[in-house]
């Protein structure tokens, strides 16, 4: 049901048909770990966890455990750090994305409220709705009545969240916090535009009026990973797309994505995917291969 076209910084979504929401299940075996990298989008994101992970939302660490609901407000910068012992899980979470038009039509004052993530688990009604939405996302075909069914569940969920997990936005936002969020967005945007070029941490820090030591601490606190890790993973992510969609050599792909040679790409790719770029390309070209891109 989810057709996703995006860059990972400002993530954009395509909605099937006349839907203005997306529902999809996330497995721990997802072949797109780049979706876990820091990113932001205009949708309200509601994730119901079936396995453990740490969500970083605007620099705050929110621990998810089975049965926990994690809400990310529109335009918040967020990432996910799965816990290492959850690789055996077939289903990590179900994610619901509500577009701005959907929210404006059904919750006109949504920009004046903020959804929060308390330590307490969600109510039975919320858990039941998320389980039903997870099941709905696995249906192989949809009739018009099915869409009405999902739409009704989402409206029930939104009403419950407004009652149980919302506060006035004025209680949450501060001018200083908003400025810091914009600075991080600028950093992520810079990587997106310049990842093919040599990038030094000191240069990025200077451009954003940080000293290098503070910038290193700031970036890791806000995203959960170091700047060098993020840059490397982003380059690997972009290299992966070329492995799938082009016939370029490994060396050409490495050089086009900011690596000084193919050995650097091979090492980084193996760390992220567990195989070499060539092994990955052979795997995805096999007849029984199935990738969601």
């Amino acid at each position: 049901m989810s057709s996703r076209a995006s860059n990972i910084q400002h993530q954009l979504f395509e909605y099937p048909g006349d839907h203005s929401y997306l529902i999809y299940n996330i497995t721990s075996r997802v072949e797109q770990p780049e979706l876990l990298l820091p990113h932001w989008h205009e949708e309200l994101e509601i994730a119901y966890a079936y396995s453990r992970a740490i969500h970083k939302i605007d620099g705050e660490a929110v621990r998810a455990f089975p049965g926990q609901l994690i809400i990310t407000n529109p335009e918040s910068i967020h990432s996910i750090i799965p816990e290492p012992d959850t690789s055996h899980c077939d289903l990590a979470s179900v994610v619901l994305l509500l577009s701005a038009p959907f929210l404006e039509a059904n919750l006109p004052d949504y920009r004046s409220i903020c959804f929060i993530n308390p330590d307490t688990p969600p109510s039975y009604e919320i858990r039941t709705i998320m389980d039903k939405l997870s099941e709905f996302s696995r249906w192989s075909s949809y009739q018009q009545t099915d869409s009405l069914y999902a739409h009704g569940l989402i409206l029930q969920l939104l009403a419950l969240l407004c009652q149980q997990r919302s506060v006035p936005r004025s209680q949450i936002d501060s001018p200083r916090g908003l400025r810091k969020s914009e600075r991080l967005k600028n950093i992520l945007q810079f990587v997106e535009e310049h990842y093919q070029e040599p990038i030094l941490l000191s240069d990025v820090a200077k451009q954003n009026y940080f000293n290098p030591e503070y910038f290193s601490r700031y970036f890791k606190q806000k995203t959960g990973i170091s700047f060098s890790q993020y840059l490397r993973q982003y380059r690997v992510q972009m290299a992966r797309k070329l492995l799938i969609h082009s016939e370029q050599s490994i060396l050409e792909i490495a050089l086009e994505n900011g690596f000084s040679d193919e050995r650097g790409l091979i090492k980084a790719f193996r760390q992220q995917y567990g195989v070499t770029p060539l092994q990955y390309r052979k795997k995805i070209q096999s007849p029984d291969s199935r990738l969601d891109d």
Side-chain angles (χ1 to χ4, degrees):
M1 179 174 177
S2 60
S3 174
R4 300 185 295 279
S6 67
N7 60 59
I8 201 67
Q9 310 307 320
H10 179 188
Q11 198 165 14
L12 304 176
F13 297 91
E14 294 178 354
Y15 295 88
D18 58 354
H19 293 172
S20 52
Y21 57 84
L22 289 173
I23 312 163
Y24 56 94
N25 288 307
I26 300 294
T27 69
S28 54
R29 299 190 182 96
V30 66
E31 297 211 20
Q32 292 177 286
E34 61 267 21
L35 294 176
L36 308 181
L37 290 177
H39 63 282
W40 63 280
H41 47 67
E42 297 173 356
E43 286 79 1
L44 175 68
E45 179 176 314
I46 304 164
Y48 182 65
Y50 293 103
S51 64
R52 293 186 298 276
I54 297 174
H55 293 242
K56 294 285 286 190
I57 304 174
D58 289 333
E60 180 184 356
V62 181
R63 185 171 295 276
F65 51 85
Q68 179 69 299
L69 194 78
I70 305 296
I71 305 176
T72 303
N73 289 286
E75 299 192 16
S76 289
I77 298 172
H78 57 290
S79 59
I80 303 175
I81 308 169
E83 294 199 354
D85 62 346
T86 60
S87 59
H88 64 283
C89 299
D90 292 325
L91 182 60
S93 64
V94 57
V95 175
L96 170 64
L97 290 161
L98 302 180
S99 69
F102 183 94
L103 293 169
E104 288 168 353
N106 296 285
L107 189 62
D109 62 342
Y110 84 95
R111 295 185 185 278
S112 65
I113 64 174
C114 189
F115 293 99
I116 58 175
N117 293 299
D119 294 333
T120 54
S123 65
Y124 172 79
E125 291 83 1
I126 289 177
R127 298 198 305 271
T128 300
I129 290 173
M130 296 307 294
D131 284 334
K132 288 180 178 179
L133 290 174
S134 176
E135 181 182 355
F136 173 82
S137 73
R138 292 191 290 268
W139 293 357
S140 58
S141 61
Y142 302 97
Q143 306 296 325
Q144 184 175 4
T145 53
D146 298 333
S147 297
L148 290 173
Y149 169 76
H151 193 98
L153 288 175
I154 293 170
L155 291 181
Q156 291 180 56
L157 175 66
L158 201 54
L160 290 168
L161 293 179
C162 287
Q163 294 169 6
Q164 301 174 16
R165 294 201 170 202
S166 70
V167 297
R169 182 169 291 275
S170 58
Q171 293 185 15
I172 302 296
D173 288 343
S174 68
R176 182 179 180 186
L178 292 174
R179 286 196 300 270
K180 285 189 174 182
S181 178
E182 287 303 315
R183 291 175 90 180
L184 185 54
K185 287 179 183 177
N186 290 338
I187 294 165
L188 301 182
Q189 186 72 24
F190 179 85
V191 171
E192 177 191 346
E193 295 173 353
H194 299 280
Y195 70 93
Q196 296 172 304
E197 309 163 15
I199 295 179
L200 297 177
L201 181 148
S202 56
D203 292 339
V204 181
K206 182 178 179 181
Q207 181 179 347
N208 289 275
Y209 307 101
F210 292 106
N211 68 56
E213 293 77 14
Y214 179 79
F215 174 72
S216 294
R217 296 193 302 271
Y218 167 84
F219 192 89
K220 188 162 187 178
Q221 177 192 22
K222 293 295 183 182
T223 66
I225 58 176
S226 69
F227 178 76
S228 61
Q229 284 177 298
Y230 175 76
L231 176 60
R232 182 173 64 250
Q233 290 179 28
Y234 187 86
R235 286 170 167 166
V236 168
Q237 162 199 331
M238 303 309 290
R240 172 188 173 273
K241 294 181 183 296
L242 290 180
L243 284 169
I244 296 172
H245 299 296
S246 81
E247 296 182 358
Q248 291 177 266
S249 70
I250 304 303
L251 176 59
E252 289 172 329
I253 291 175
L255 297 178
E256 189 169 327
N257 287 279
F259 294 94
S260 58
D261 53 37
E262 62 182 304
R263 288 182 299 175
L265 172 59
I266 291 171
K267 180 179 178 181
F269 201 94
R270 191 195 296 272
Q271 288 176 341
Q272 190 157 325
Y273 288 91
V275 294
T276 67
L278 186 58
Q279 290 169 334
Y280 187 86
R281 174 175 270 173
K282 289 179 178 178
K283 176 184 176 183
I284 65 173
Q285 290 175 347
S286 64
D288 58 348
S289 173
R290 180 175 174 273
L291 287 177
D292 299 317
D293 191 39

